[in-house]
Amino acid sequence: MKEQDSKGLSEREHLVLMTTIEDYIEVNHPVGSNFLKKRHLFSFSPATIRNTLACLESKGMLTHTHTSSGRIPTDEGYRYYVDQLSGSEKMEDKLDEDTFKNLIQTTSNIDDLMQATAILLSKVSRLFGFVMISEVNKSILTDIELISLSSDRVMVVLAMKTGLIRSIVLELKVVVNQNELDSITAILKECLLGLSLDEIQKTIHFRVCGSDVFDHEIIQVLINEPASHFSLAGNTLIYTSSFSELLNYPEFQEVTILQKTIKALDKRNIKQFIKSNVGSKKKYTFIGHETNNDLMDHFSILTSRFSSDLVTGQLAVLGPTRLRYQFVKRILEDFSKVLPNVC
């Protein structure tokens, strides 16, 4: 190892910092020099370890709660630790094939599959699981039905290849009979099935303009606002686990921290964070204050992208800054490899 690395740490400082952080992640109490000496049998003395810990604190990598206590990592210390990790941590709780077989067999409906993924991700990582899929407007339309709700109200139901269903209600100014609905439905099926929602939005006018029902109010409503009628939830869908796994961590036992966490885990808050930070940057691990979000500055977020022919998405886990980063990263990588094969 070089005498000093890019952060200005000596070989000894690097060793003591990495060991201190790993011990703190495991035992969850401040780590002192005597503890490090006894546990790791360092060749240097406790006094030398104390001096090294003090140097690391002066460099912002460690801190302490009171004068005589051991040290705990800072966000900067965790960042150094994560950046230094290489290879895959040995998986004590090996992800067996049955885990993913159960996921694959869950359903062919992408809504149910993504919800099951968020829950399973939480269970395996023992953290909060989150899945966001985007580009759902690339979904292929496999069926369309027009259903009469009353003489002047019609429900349009869109079914996608992904299993997603979208329904909209049209409030009409004219009375529509069943024969008209059947004729319009037949034309829409002929012109639109097999196309993506994006393609339909761009070409529906051209595709139906020569049909016998082009002037009907239903057709006119659909072609005048195609982006409103042929889209799915702003092109992004969110799925989350419960936050029950986080209650097992002492970091979330304090009422004020728990309340803050519940607010942070609101779907809209996480969605905005992922869209603002992931994809525009290459960094996919955010530690404490790196989130630049007051509601999230007490935990870490690890993310991973996946992509299939039908959807593109982000997986994420959220938990305390004191977590097994390499273990969680491996879990995300495994899920990212499996999902494109099942959706």
Side-chain angles (χ1 to χ4, degrees):
M1 184 184 295
K2 296 183 295 183
E3 185 173 339
Q4 284 197 335
D5 60 23
S6 60
K7 292 288 186 179
L9 300 190
S10 67
E11 181 177 356
R12 177 178 294 164
E13 288 171 337
H14 169 86
L15 176 61
V16 170
L17 177 60
M18 297 293 283
T19 305
T20 300
I21 293 176
E22 288 173 357
D23 286 350
Y24 180 72
I25 289 172
E26 180 182 345
V27 302
N28 190 33
H29 63 66
V31 177
S33 55
N34 290 328
F35 180 88
L36 289 170
K37 176 66 176 178
K38 290 177 182 178
R39 195 172 206 207
H40 301 286
L41 302 177
F42 289 139
S43 59
F44 31 92
S45 68
T48 300
I49 297 173
R50 278 195 294 274
N51 289 335
T52 304
L53 291 172
C55 288
L56 289 168
E57 184 167 356
S58 69
K59 293 180 178 182
M61 300 291 186
L62 299 173
T63 188
H64 63 276
T65 54
H66 54 83
T67 305
S68 61
S69 71
R71 266 65 173 193
I72 61 177
T74 61
D75 291 348
E76 186 175 356
Y78 278 124
R79 168 50 57 196
Y80 178 90
Y81 173 77
V82 169
D83 289 346
Q84 293 296 311
L85 292 175
S86 62
S88 296
E89 178 181 331
K90 182 179 178 181
M91 299 286 280
E92 295 175 5
D93 304 309
K94 193 175 187 302
L95 300 180
D96 57 43
E97 293 182 3
D98 288 340
T99 299
F100 295 113
K101 284 181 181 178
N102 292 336
L103 179 61
I104 293 170
Q105 295 169 358
T106 298
T107 178
S108 59
N109 183 294
I110 201 166
D111 253 332
D112 295 339
L113 179 61
M114 293 298 106
Q115 185 59 58
T117 298
I119 293 170
L120 185 58
L121 188 57
S122 173
K123 180 180 178 181
V124 174
S125 67
R126 302 187 185 92
L127 299 166
F128 177 82
F130 170 88
V131 181
M132 182 175 80
I133 59 173
S134 56
E135 300 184 30
V136 290
N137 284 340
K138 291 182 178 179
S139 297
I140 304 300
L141 185 68
T142 57
D143 199 8
I144 182 168
E145 295 292 343
L146 272 60
I147 302 170
S148 176
L149 300 179
S150 66
S151 61
D152 58 354
R153 297 178 72 240
V154 173
M155 176 181 288
V156 181
V157 181
L158 309 177
M160 316 304 156
K161 187 176 180 180
T162 55
L164 295 170
I165 302 293
R166 157 93 153 125
S167 62
I168 51 176
V169 175
L170 305 181
E171 304 284 350
L172 305 174
K173 297 177 181 178
V174 297
V175 174
V176 182
N177 61 48
Q178 190 59 50
N179 288 335
E180 289 176 302
L181 281 184
D182 292 342
S183 297
I184 294 170
T185 300
I187 291 295
L188 292 175
K189 285 178 183 287
E190 180 183 344
C191 296
L192 305 181
L193 296 191
L195 301 176
S196 71
L197 296 184
D198 277 340
E199 290 174 314
I200 292 171
Q201 289 179 30
K202 295 173 183 176
T203 66
I204 183 173
H205 188 284
F206 166 77
R207 293 178 183 278
V208 301
C209 67
S211 68
D212 294 338
V213 296
F214 179 76
D215 292 327
H216 195 283
E217 185 182 358
I218 291 177
I219 296 295
Q220 290 300 307
V221 168
L222 293 177
I223 66 175
N224 286 333
E225 295 184 64
S228 299
H229 299 122
F230 296 96
S231 64
L232 292 171
N235 205 24
T236 303
L237 299 176
I238 305 293
Y239 308 86
T240 65
S241 69
S242 73
F243 57 83
S244 58
E245 290 288 350
L246 296 182
L247 299 180
N248 295 319
Y249 294 87
E251 288 90 336
F252 298 101
Q253 298 300 316
E254 187 179 329
V255 173
T256 55
I257 295 299
L258 181 58
Q259 291 174 335
K260 183 178 178 180
T261 300
I262 293 172
K263 291 180 181 179
L265 299 183
D266 178 83
K267 286 184 179 181
R268 289 168 297 181
N269 192 46
I270 304 175
K271 174 183 175 181
Q272 183 57 45
F273 174 82
I274 297 293
K275 292 184 73 172
S276 299
N277 293 279
V278 181
S280 61
K281 299 179 181 179
K282 292 184 178 180
K283 184 171 64 177
Y284 294 102
T285 300
F286 301 85
I287 302 168
H289 290 86
E290 290 179 356
T291 61
N292 292 318
N293 186 315
D294 291 341
L295 292 176
M296 296 180 169
D297 60 10
H298 61 296
F299 55 64
S300 290
I301 303 173
L302 283 74
T303 74
S304 180
R305 178 178 290 271
F306 70 92
S307 181
S308 72
D309 293 337
L310 298 177
V311 296
T312 296
Q314 289 286 347
L315 301 171
V317 292
L318 296 83
T321 55
R322 183 188 60 86
L323 59 79
R324 294 164 57 192
Y325 287 91
Q326 197 70 357
F327 175 78
V328 175
K329 180 181 176 183
R330 166 71 184 279
I331 290 171
L332 286 168
E333 289 173 350
D334 285 348
F335 272 76
S336 293
K337 291 175 183 176
V338 170
L339 279 176
N341 297 323
V342 298
C343 66

